[in-house]
Amino acid sequence: MVRADGATLMATGLLLAGGRSTRFAEGDKAVAPLDGIPLIAHVAEGLPAEVDELLVSCRPEQTDRIREALSTVDCEYRFIVDTDAVGPLGGIRDGLRAAATAWTYVVGCDFPLVDPVVFEPLAGHDGSEAVVFEQSDDTTQPLCGRYRTAAAADAAATLLPDCRRAAALLSALETKRLSAADAPFDVRRLQNVNTVAERDALTVREPTTLL
């Protein structure tokens, strides 16, 4: 696909922010501050340079809060609004359907320590349909990965509505799993935030300290 100025689009970033944050006592964790900056803004600023289209998946009542949270981030973005209770897999499906690039980085709004170093190992596996990190306990994290846009959108649509779990998407695709332990960065960068205590235990550090 190409932009209006004729340049070829490289990759889409899809930020998932539509969760209910039921375990986060302070409300919507997407806009909760970490070191004075909303979690979703940390994630947006950490996307790789090849991302030149940014989509934000959220519920209708979140758009004003998220717009304010992203007001200091130097990027353009579009909202993909969840009009139904579609769960994380529905948010992925709708975002991928709206993406204009062959590849999409899908990232939860609660991964505030990600940066381009984290996403670099996910690139270059174009023979796969999904590329994600696998933790030492053999669990994978589908909400911080790189997906072939069309294939993943079709797979998500097939799984819904019977299944809303994002992890199911990995079984439906040709998935490349990379060992997080062997990644060229501190695995703490893959920490996601579900509770206030988890947020408070994090400190945003200079990149060189978490390589």
Side-chain angles (χ1 to χ4, degrees):
M1 301 293 291
V2 296
R3 300 191 310 230
D5 62 5
T8 301
L9 290 171
M10 294 187 290
T12 298
L14 172 59
L15 304 187
L16 299 176
R20 297 285 177 176
S21 303
T22 55
R23 289 178 283 174
F24 199 82
E26 294 182 0
D28 188 352
K29 65 181 177 180
V31 299
L34 173 63
D35 286 4
I37 299 173
L39 294 186
I40 194 169
H42 281 291
V43 180
E45 292 177 337
L47 292 172
E50 69 176 295
V51 168
D52 51 7
E53 177 186 53
L54 182 59
L55 307 176
V56 179
S57 172
C58 67
R59 304 187 312 278
E61 64 271 22
Q62 293 178 282
T63 55
D64 287 344
R65 295 194 299 269
I66 291 177
R67 187 178 291 110
E68 175 63 24
L70 293 175
S71 62
T72 60
V73 179
D74 184 20
C75 66
E76 296 182 0
Y77 58 90
R78 288 188 289 136
F79 284 115
I80 306 300
V81 178
D82 298 336
T83 55
D84 300 308
V86 293
L89 187 57
I92 293 174
R93 176 203 60 193
D94 294 345
L96 293 174
R97 283 177 169 175
T101 62
W103 289 92
T104 300
Y105 289 92
V106 175
V107 193
C109 68
D110 53 358
F111 287 82
L113 301 185
V114 295
D115 72 354
V117 176
V118 170
F119 296 108
E120 185 175 347
L122 300 177
H125 301 280
D126 291 356
S128 301
E129 295 174 328
V131 190
V132 296
F133 289 107
E134 186 172 66
Q135 304 281 13
S136 58
D137 60 358
D138 294 332
T139 60
T140 53
Q141 182 45 269
L143 300 188
C144 186
R146 180 174 179 259
Y147 292 84
R148 187 177 293 278
T149 302
D154 289 345
T158 299
L159 290 167
L160 287 163
D162 296 329
C163 177
R164 297 184 179 183
R165 296 182 302 105
L169 187 59
L170 302 180
S171 298
L173 296 170
E174 295 182 13
T175 300
K176 176 73 173 179
R177 293 170 170 81
L178 306 179
S179 170
D182 296 333
F185 55 82
D186 191 305
V187 294
R188 288 175 293 175
R189 286 204 179 277
L190 295 176
Q191 175 67 49
N192 67 316
V193 172
N194 291 304
T195 67
V196 171
E198 289 176 348
R199 187 275 312 275
D200 292 345
L202 295 180
T203 300
V204 176
R205 302 170 176 84
E206 291 299 320
T208 53
T209 67
L210 280 181
L211 289 177

